[in-house]
Structures are given as structure tokens and as C-alpha cells.
Amino acid sequence: MIQTNIIIPSSMLQYQCSQSGRCCGGWIIGLNSSSYNRLKDVLTTNNKSKLFKKYVKKSPDKTLHYATIKFENDQCGFLEKSGLCAVHKDFGIHTLPDICQVFPRLVFKTPFGKELSITFACPNAAELLKDKNKITKIKNPKDFFFAHGNLYYGSVAHDIFESTDLKKYYQEVEDHLIEIIQTRHLSIEERLILMGMTSRRLEALENPSFEDVQNIFNIDKKILSQDFLKEELKKINPDISHQVYLLKEFIYLRLDNIPNEELLNIFTNLIDTFQFSEEEDDEDLNISVEKYLRYYDQYFKPNEKEIEHIFENFLVYLILRKIFIRYSLSKAYYLSIYFFSLIRLTAIGLAVSQDKIVDEDIAVKAVWVIERAIGHSYQFYTNILDFLMEKDLATIPHAISLLKIPEKQLIK
């Protein structure tokens, strides 16, 4: 069966739910009013009204969720010991709440149709990151189907094309940024630095025409064909103290709201591994910097070329989440850098705990950790940006300083 006007990243065609039940716990499962009423009608009609009353509760404050599903032992109350959903098994997928039908897919309603991305908070979805083929957009793929309900992760209104800013060229900008991220003769850091330069040039345009935008794209293509790019990028000075400070601040920013015990243990281990301190003390920060540099050289650098596709795929899917529409180009770029740096730090921390060089599995696990903690939440994106703006750090130059590691370490 073909669903018209579906635009899907190519690697998502490989996704299949493993039915492990791992995604059905560790966070709030929120219901909209239509999901609540659909579930109530089906369960009541089938003499299961007691089950509905036991596990589905209306929210006192409906600004975030109309209702929520009650948990038992950190899992959805409808989840059976087998890992299967009792509602899905007995009454079919279309009975499920919209969020359960959609997850981990992220559906965006746009003038071009339903454009999809995915969250790697699902461990099975995170395995897609191992695909070494470049991601392309596929329109209405044959035999592709999923029960998407009525829930959209975001919406792009048709009147976007009447705006006077870059957003009316959002699809062209997205495609160009993805092309940069998939330019494989450059390192991931170099690609991200070029993406920052491009974002800066695009943002400088006033009332841009399509020709203006294309001219910047053509400049990038010329830059990519020249050998001098790598030499120019080497001149950018990294600020490792700045990197470690911001990553430490994130850990403590999120620590009080970690959704489950597994993530809490991982975040606590990161604090211990890098000897992070809540105090803003230069001496403590220098110790953390020393740890980070040493572990980067020992556990990350030896295999970084072999795991670049993991970061590449993550960044492509991040672009497809429409962050360059929802925010300004510079803010969206900063989020991209921040997530990349945070995943890199988490991967190093996981590798240290296993005393093993970062490989595909560790890199994928690091993405899952960050996605599970924050990556699927626009609210936390906003919290990060608010924090950075408060400290006057949400600029492209600061973002670029988060990327680079000194080529020659002074650590014995």
C-alpha cells in the first residue's frame, strides 16, 4: 500500500520495530484528546473499562498532555511480560495512541507532504546509524506504510513561501546542508565548520532571492573542490576549556531530570570519568580538560575515521527534524555542534568504562543515550539555547570552538 505525499530518508526504509518494549518506559507517555477517547471507547466496548481506568489518567494541567498512561515497574501498564503491547495485540495498531503509532518516527506536515525523520531514542532505530550509504530523500516509496495517526512533530505552513527570509527556501537549504554533511573527503569537524560558514553567509542575506541563495551554494561547491580548504580550517583555534565547560554544564543541567536509572548511571559515570565539578573553579576545569584530552587521544582518535558515518547519519537526520526552520540558522547550527560534541564526549566516557576504543556499537550507544535523555524534546532544545544565550555563547564562532581538538596535546 502506498501512502501519497510521504517523503522519507532512504535508510528509514530498513526500520522495523523489534517489539522489545524498551521504548515503552522511562518517560511520560502523553495522550492527546483523540487518543484518549479512542482508547476509552475500544476498551469500554470490550469490557475492559477497569483496565482503562487503572492505567489512563487525565492530566490536571492539560497544557502539555491531555492524559497520560500510568506505569508499573517503570513500564507502560499495557505492556505484557512478553514485551508486546496488550492494546496492539488485541485490538490492532490503529487503536493505539497517536504517539505509539508514530514513535520513533517524527512526522512533519509540510507543503510538500508528510516529511519524516526519526529519533534514535529507540535502540532499534539507532542501529540505522550504522548504514554507510549516503541518505537520500525518497517520495512515496513503494509498499511503505505505517499507522501515523494524527500526530505531527512539527508543521511547516504553506505561507512560508511568502516570507521574505530564508525560510521560504527551506527545502533547498536543507538539501545543501545535507550535501555538505555527506562530503566524505572532509572530516566531520571540517564539514561542520563549513556548514557554519555557509549558515553565516546565508543569514547575512537581506530579503534573499533564489539567485542569492544559489550563489552561496555555488561558492561552497567551489570551496569543496579546492585543496586549500583543509589548510584554512587548520587555522581555526580550538578552545578546549570552553568545550569541556559547556559539556559539563549540560550534564548538570540534565542530571536532576534523568528519565530512568540506566541513563542516570551513565551520566553519573561521565561525571566521575572526567572529574566534573559543579563549582565554576578554574583548577577543577583544568583537571577535566586534562582527562578529556587524554581519553580523546587514547579511546577516540585511533578509530575516528571508522565511525564518521555514525555522526554523519545523525547530523543528516537532525537537519531533517526541521531545526533550521524552527530556529534561526545560527541557533540551529549551534544545536548541531552541541549535540555532536556531547555525543563525542559520551562515546569517550562509555569507551573508558569498557576500556575499549570507540567503535560503531559504542558510538551508536552514545547517540542513544543523548537522544533518550534530550534529543527528541524541542523543549530541551530551547532550554539549551536559553542557557547559551544567557551566557552570550550562542554564536557561530563559539560553536566552531566546540568542534576542534588540538592536534598536538601537551598532556603526558
Side-chain angles (χ1 to χ4, degrees):
M1 176 180 180
I2 296 177
Q3 294 185 11
T4 57
N5 301 320
I6 293 281
I7 301 169
I8 180 171
S10 51
S11 61
M12 266 185 71
L13 292 173
Q14 304 170 32
Y15 175 75
Q16 291 289 334
C17 177
S18 65
Q19 300 181 350
S20 67
R22 289 189 68 193
C23 299
C24 304
W27 43 33
I28 294 172
I29 299 179
L31 309 183
N32 53 24
S33 59
S34 61
S35 296
Y36 175 90
N37 291 326
R38 183 169 65 245
L39 201 55
K40 180 179 180 180
D41 290 344
V42 169
L43 293 178
T44 301
T45 302
N46 288 276
N47 299 316
K48 293 185 180 291
S49 57
K50 288 184 178 180
L51 197 64
F52 176 83
K53 291 178 181 179
K54 181 178 180 180
Y55 291 121
V56 182
K57 304 295 180 184
K58 281 189 177 180
S59 303
D61 179 5
K62 296 182 176 59
T63 55
L64 185 59
H65 302 296
Y66 182 83
T68 59
I69 294 179
K70 186 179 178 182
F71 280 19
E72 284 190 351
N73 300 320
D74 200 35
Q75 288 187 319
C76 172
F78 293 111
L79 195 68
E80 297 183 341
K81 290 182 180 179
S82 63
L84 296 178
C85 170
V87 175
H88 186 178
K89 185 186 72 172
D90 294 339
F91 307 111
I93 192 169
H94 293 285
T95 306
L96 292 174
D98 288 342
I99 185 63
C100 301
Q101 292 185 33
V102 171
F103 187 87
R105 305 164 189 88
L106 305 173
V107 185
F108 298 87
K109 189 176 183 179
T110 80
F112 300 101
K114 295 180 176 113
E115 299 185 39
L116 271 62
S117 186
I118 201 165
T119 170
F120 302 111
C122 165
N124 210 44
E127 290 295 311
L128 298 178
L129 294 164
K130 293 181 179 179
D131 189 344
K132 293 185 178 181
N133 295 309
K134 288 187 177 182
I135 294 169
T136 59
K137 294 180 181 179
I138 300 176
K139 185 175 182 180
N140 299 331
K142 186 177 179 181
D143 299 325
F144 175 76
F145 173 80
F146 79 97
H148 53 77
N150 300 305
L151 189 70
Y152 294 101
Y153 194 67
S155 180
V156 181
H158 197 277
D159 59 10
I160 192 172
F161 301 126
E162 299 174 6
S163 64
T164 59
D165 60 20
L166 276 169
K167 291 184 178 180
K168 64 182 174 182
Y169 306 116
Y170 88 87
Q171 195 166 68
E172 289 85 359
V173 170
E174 272 191 2
D175 289 344
H176 184 67
L177 295 179
I178 288 171
E179 183 180 358
I180 290 175
I181 291 300
Q182 295 187 134
T183 302
R184 294 181 174 177
H185 69 268
L186 298 177
S187 70
I188 285 291
E189 290 84 356
E190 290 165 342
R191 299 176 219 179
L192 281 167
I193 289 171
L194 179 58
M195 189 168 83
M197 295 174 175
T198 302
S199 297
R200 204 172 186 177
R201 288 198 299 271
L202 286 170
E203 243 182 1
L205 296 174
E206 294 184 11
N207 300 322
S209 66
F210 182 74
E211 184 179 2
D212 293 332
V213 174
Q214 285 296 323
N215 284 339
I216 289 179
F217 293 171
N218 290 333
I219 290 171
D220 284 343
K221 290 175 182 178
K222 289 180 181 178
I223 289 174
L224 288 170
S225 67
Q226 302 296 320
D227 291 335
F228 73 84
L229 177 63
K230 282 181 175 285
E231 295 304 316
E232 289 300 307
L233 296 181
K234 285 180 182 179
K235 297 177 183 178
I236 297 174
N237 293 319
D239 185 344
I240 192 66
S241 295
H242 177 224
Q243 289 185 44
V244 173
Y245 168 73
L246 286 181
L247 296 173
K248 178 202 76 169
E249 287 295 302
F250 163 78
I251 298 294
Y252 284 107
L253 185 66
R254 188 57 177 153
L255 196 61
D256 291 338
N257 295 296
I258 296 295
N260 61 47
E261 188 174 348
E262 181 181 6
L263 288 179
L264 180 60
N265 290 337
I266 291 171
F267 275 61
T268 302
N269 182 64
L270 290 175
I271 291 172
D272 293 340
T273 298
F274 298 106
Q275 291 186 235
F276 288 146
S277 169
E278 284 193 83
E279 303 299 324
E280 294 196 13
D281 183 272
D282 288 343
E283 186 175 343
D284 289 340
L285 183 61
N286 288 338
I287 292 172
S288 296
V289 167
E290 180 181 337
K291 292 281 185 183
Y292 183 72
L293 290 175
R294 179 179 291 123
Y295 292 146
Y296 173 87
D297 276 348
Q298 185 176 350
Y299 292 99
F300 190 88
K301 191 173 182 180
N303 207 34
E304 62 181 335
K305 292 296 182 185
E306 301 304 315
I307 58 171
E308 277 193 334
H309 60 287
I310 305 293
F311 292 97
E312 174 186 308
N313 290 332
F314 169 77
L315 290 164
V316 169
Y317 274 101
L318 191 62
I319 292 168
L320 293 175
R321 291 179 194 173
K322 312 300 175 196
I323 64 169
F324 285 87
I325 302 173
R326 191 178 184 94
Y327 306 104
S328 67
L329 285 181
S330 56
K331 289 180 180 178
Y333 177 66
Y334 208 109
L335 284 171
S336 302
I337 301 304
Y338 201 74
F339 277 114
F340 167 78
S341 301
L342 195 55
I343 290 166
R344 181 169 61 185
L345 172 113
T346 305
I348 294 170
L350 291 171
V352 173
S353 68
Q354 299 178 39
D355 194 21
K356 180 181 177 183
I357 292 173
V358 175
D359 58 12
E360 272 193 335
D361 289 333
I362 291 177
V364 167
K365 180 68 175 291
V367 174
W368 174 82
V369 168
I370 299 307
E371 289 278 276
R372 182 76 168 176
I374 62 167
H376 60 290
S377 170
Y378 270 141
Q379 181 57 53
F380 205 80
Y381 288 14
T382 302
N383 291 346
I384 290 173
L385 288 171
D386 288 346
F387 166 75
L388 296 172
M389 292 176 70
E390 180 185 330
K391 295 184 177 292
D392 199 27
L393 295 173
T395 65
I396 287 178
H398 276 111
I400 289 174
S401 76
L402 271 173
L403 281 170
K404 295 191 69 179
I405 304 293
E407 291 188 15
K408 293 183 179 179
Q409 315 298 7
L410 299 177
I411 307 296
K412 295 183 180 180

